[in-house]
Amino acid sequence: MPAYAPAVGAVLLVCSLTTGLTGCAAPQKSVEKSAEEIEEVTEAAPLPESASSPTAAVTATAKATVPAPQPDYFREGVNTATSAVSIGQTAQSQDDWKLAAARWRKAIADLQKVPADSPNHALAQQKIKEYQQHLISAEASAAGKTASPAARIAASVASDGRKATIPIVGRRGGIPLVSATMQGQNGKHTFEMLFDTGASGTLITPSMANTLGVVVVGEVQVTIADGSVVALPIGYLDFIEVGGLRQESITVAIGGDVALLGQDFYGAYGLAINQDSIALY
């Protein structure tokens, strides 16, 4: 039989069923044979599922291929920590500090959920330690207690990466003046110093050295503002602490009548000088 015979039989059968016209009918034998062939073709090539229900097929495919979005726990934690910092900066009551502490706890919980395969996992672990120190300080303030010195220093570490915020107590010739606490053989004392971004080393005055009990151990050649080179005595301090940032066993030069906080103290950090404070990053 020719290859197109089943198609012809199908047309005749449809014509007969839909119109009821006897003129479309084929001989019984031919119709029966065509029906058999149609049945075989139907069994061999079933109708695609998408043709019977295109919308259902597309919906099923979309559900199978599009994964559910995963929360960005790292970003949520950092955002919550930023909120906690803002609350702490304006806190005036124990309730304010309780709210700040709650935000720190949530920030820590969010960062603990950052997956191990996340590119932010290592940074999240670092921030968890920082936020835990913030939490200690906030909880102490909420309870009406004073946090330990270590916790107070750690609390100056903001969620944006700041390591210290140094208040500016004044200016001299446009240069910020900051308060620095130092310790020598005669104990701990606080002085005002110029935060001089052009000074490579820290300089204290002879009167400051006498008050602190600094022992001179040598001298250093330094270039002063007029370009000349002078020799200045040097000595050691147990530490210098400014704005919560502390450097221990630091060498200072002694001379002049103005104290300068140099890059040997803060040079490892980026800085931003604002109107009333200096942020170290």
Side-chain angles (χ1 to χ4, degrees):
M1 179 181 288
Y4 56 82
V8 174
V11 170
L12 293 175
L13 179 59
V14 169
C15 181
S16 176
L17 293 174
T18 57
T19 65
L21 298 177
T22 56
C24 293
Q28 184 66 27
K29 180 179 180 182
S30 175
V31 172
E32 291 176 355
K33 185 173 183 181
S34 298
E36 292 174 358
E37 291 177 348
I38 290 171
E39 183 176 329
E40 292 176 358
V41 171
T42 303
E43 292 177 354
L47 188 63
E49 183 180 354
S50 60
S52 61
S53 182
T55 302
V58 171
T59 303
T61 302
K63 290 182 178 178
T65 58
V66 179
Q70 295 298 317
D72 188 345
Y73 289 115
F74 180 80
R75 180 52 50 197
E76 289 182 10
V78 171
N79 288 343
T80 303
T82 301
S83 174
V85 170
S86 298
I87 294 171
Q89 289 175 340
T90 59
Q92 297 181 355
S93 67
Q94 288 178 276
D95 286 340
D96 291 339
W97 283 112
K98 288 178 181 179
L99 179 58
R103 297 289 173 87
W104 285 121
R105 281 191 289 270
K106 183 180 184 304
I108 292 169
D110 286 337
L111 294 187
Q112 288 173 336
K113 296 176 184 177
V114 175
D117 58 354
S118 168
N120 292 320
H121 181 263
L123 182 56
Q125 300 309 302
Q126 175 184 335
K127 286 189 173 295
I128 287 172
K129 295 178 181 179
E130 295 176 0
Y131 293 175
Q132 286 171 338
Q133 295 300 323
H134 284 287
L135 176 59
I136 292 172
S137 179
E139 287 179 334
S141 297
K145 300 177 182 178
T146 302
S148 66
R152 288 199 305 271
I153 292 172
S156 68
V157 183
S159 60
D160 59 3
R162 275 179 291 170
K163 295 299 181 183
T165 300
I166 303 173
I168 296 175
V169 298
R171 291 181 184 269
R172 183 176 298 178
I175 299 175
L177 196 64
V178 301
S179 180
T181 299
M182 309 176 188
Q183 180 167 297
Q185 286 192 339
N186 292 343
K188 185 167 59 175
H189 300 273
T190 300
F191 305 94
E192 291 184 351
M193 305 179 72
L194 290 177
F195 191 95
D196 190 354
T197 57
S200 58
T202 295
L203 174 72
I204 64 173
T205 66
S207 62
M208 291 168 61
N210 289 335
T211 301
L212 290 164
V214 177
V215 178
V216 175
V217 296
E219 66 177 28
V220 63
Q221 302 291 320
V222 299
T223 302
I224 59 177
D226 63 4
S228 60
V229 178
V230 298
L232 294 178
I234 58 173
Y236 288 98
L237 290 173
D238 294 338
F239 68 81
I240 297 178
E241 184 177 315
V242 181
L245 182 66
R246 178 171 171 147
Q247 299 280 13
E248 298 187 352
S249 301
I250 191 167
T251 304
V252 295
I254 304 168
D257 56 2
V258 177
L260 305 175
L261 187 66
Q263 295 178 15
D264 57 343
F265 179 80
Y266 61 82
Y269 305 97
L271 62 88
I273 301 178
N274 305 308
Q275 182 65 32
D276 56 359
S277 64
I278 301 168
L280 299 182
Y281 295 90

